[in-house]
């Protein structure tokens, strides 16, 4: 069990460019979550998947954001036409199936800086 | 909606001091409660959790008790170490199992 991995760990981009992040969950975890953490704040929920189905999207997730989880394994989060306000740490977490009592295991995050 | 409020930091203590970080929550239903820790340069790690009223979560000398009557989940440790320096997040699982975090409390332990 190698834990949740995220790539890249850091990304610097210019405003208006598109970026894509990848998350590889712990194998056999069927739930996958994306969170965003800005400086000095706690992480905020963005979206989550049960297998390949995207079950909920936060109002924080504007139309420029899209997430996929093809085949219920890894997931990608794409941000189109990036804005400076998108600069943040993007965290991925996974958990085994079921209830809210299941622990979510977090990856190291991808830190995005939009210039 | 559901929310978590925790004491603002930074909190600075000397080694071996007693630690309390206050956390209160607002939630419908019966959430599970968590403390996560983020060490410098590392990802979020679950420190402890409690899933129902009066449960006590504990790990690495830290404890927190789920108090439904006061809607609180305060983190305590009897004797802190320099290695405990980190950011601590109180959290709950809200609707649909997504985690709702507090803003975090930065803890500095001086040798």
């Amino acid at each position: 069990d190698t834990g949740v991995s995220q790539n890249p760990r850091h990304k610097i981009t210019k405003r208006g460019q598109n970026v894509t992040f990848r998350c590889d969950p712990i194998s056999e975890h069927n739930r996958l979550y994306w969170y965003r953490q800005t400086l000095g704040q706690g992480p905020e929920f963005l979206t989550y998947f049960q297998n390949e189905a995207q079950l909920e999207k936060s109002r924080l997730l504007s139309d420029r954001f899209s997430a996929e989880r093809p085949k219920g394994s890894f997931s990608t989060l794409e941000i189109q036409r990036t804005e400076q306000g998108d600069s943040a740490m993007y965290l991925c977490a996974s958990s085994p199936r079921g209830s809210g009592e299941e622990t979510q295991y977090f990856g190291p995050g991808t830190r995005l800086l939009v210039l | 909606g559901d929310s978590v409020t925790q004491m603002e930091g930074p909190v600075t203590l000397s080694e071996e001091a007693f630690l309390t970080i206050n956390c209160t929550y607002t939630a419908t239903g019966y959430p599970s409660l968590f403390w996560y820790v983020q060490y410098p340069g590392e990802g979020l790690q679950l420190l402890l959790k409690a899933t129902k009223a009066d449960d006590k979560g504990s790990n690495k000398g830290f404890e927190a008790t789920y108090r439904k009557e006061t809607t609180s989940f305060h983190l305590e440790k009897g004797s802190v170490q320099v290695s405990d320096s980190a950011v601590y997040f109180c959290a709950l699982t809200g609707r649909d199992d997504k985690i709702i975090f507090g803003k975090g409390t930065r803890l500095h332990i001086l040798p």
Side-chain angles (χ1 to χ4, degrees):
Chain A
D1 182 354
T2 57
V4 178
S5 62
Q6 292 187 245
N7 288 288
R9 294 291 305 276
H10 303 273
K11 179 70 177 179
I12 300 174
T13 191
K14 293 182 179 179
R15 190 177 52 185
Q17 299 294 304
N18 298 345
V19 294
T20 300
F21 310 140
R22 176 177 169 130
C23 170
D24 287 88
I26 294 171
S27 58
E28 299 177 359
H29 279 192
N30 59 1
R31 288 207 165 181
L32 187 149
Y33 302 79
W34 285 100
Y35 295 83
R36 180 172 67 188
Q37 184 178 14
T38 53
L39 204 59
Q41 302 295 316
E44 295 174 294
F45 169 80
L46 292 178
T47 188
Y48 86 101
F49 293 82
Q50 171 93 12
N51 300 313
E52 65 275 10
Q54 188 173 17
L55 297 187
E56 186 172 346
K57 293 169 60 174
S58 163
R59 283 173 292 180
L60 293 175
L61 218 61
S62 76
D63 292 345
R64 296 184 296 103
F65 287 71
S66 62
E68 294 182 342
R69 192 182 182 197
K71 302 178 184 178
S73 55
F74 70 92
S75 175
T76 57
L77 178 67
E78 181 182 18
I79 309 174
Q80 296 182 324
R81 305 181 302 283
T82 52
E83 301 174 356
Q84 289 183 325
D86 297 331
S87 296
M89 176 77 86
Y90 290 84
L91 298 169
C92 176
S94 70
S95 71
R97 69 173 184 275
S99 71
E101 297 179 5
E102 300 288 359
T103 298
Q104 292 184 24
Y105 295 86
F106 283 81
T110 295
R111 186 172 294 282
L112 172 67
L113 177 61
V114 181
L115 301 175
Chain B
D2 296 351
S3 66
V4 174
T5 303
Q6 62 183 103
M7 63 189 290
E8 294 191 16
V11 173
T12 302
L13 295 171
S14 296
E15 202 166 24
E16 300 183 2
F18 184 86
L19 169 71
T20 300
I21 301 178
N22 290 336
C23 172
T24 57
Y25 67 91
T26 301
T28 54
Y30 302 95
S32 293
L33 303 175
F34 305 84
W35 278 98
Y36 278 83
V37 59
Q38 193 169 35
Y39 296 103
E42 298 185 16
L44 275 171
Q45 300 175 26
L46 177 67
L47 180 60
L48 54 84
K49 68 178 182 181
T51 58
K52 61 183 186 297
D54 299 324
D55 268 3
K56 178 185 285 187
S58 61
N59 186 25
K60 300 182 180 179
F62 290 90
E63 294 183 338
T65 301
Y66 190 145
R67 300 286 188 201
K68 188 170 183 294
E69 64 275 14
T70 54
T71 61
S72 64
F73 194 56
H74 304 319
L75 182 68
E76 296 182 336
K77 186 174 185 181
S79 177
V80 293
Q81 306 299 313
V82 172
S83 57
D84 294 327
S85 298
V87 181
Y88 292 80
F89 294 93
C90 186
L92 61 80
T93 47
R95 212 168 35 88
D96 296 325
D97 304 335
K98 59 181 178 284
I99 300 177
I100 296 169
F101 289 89
K103 292 187 176 182
T105 303
R106 184 174 296 278
L107 176 64
H108 295 290
I109 305 300
L110 304 175

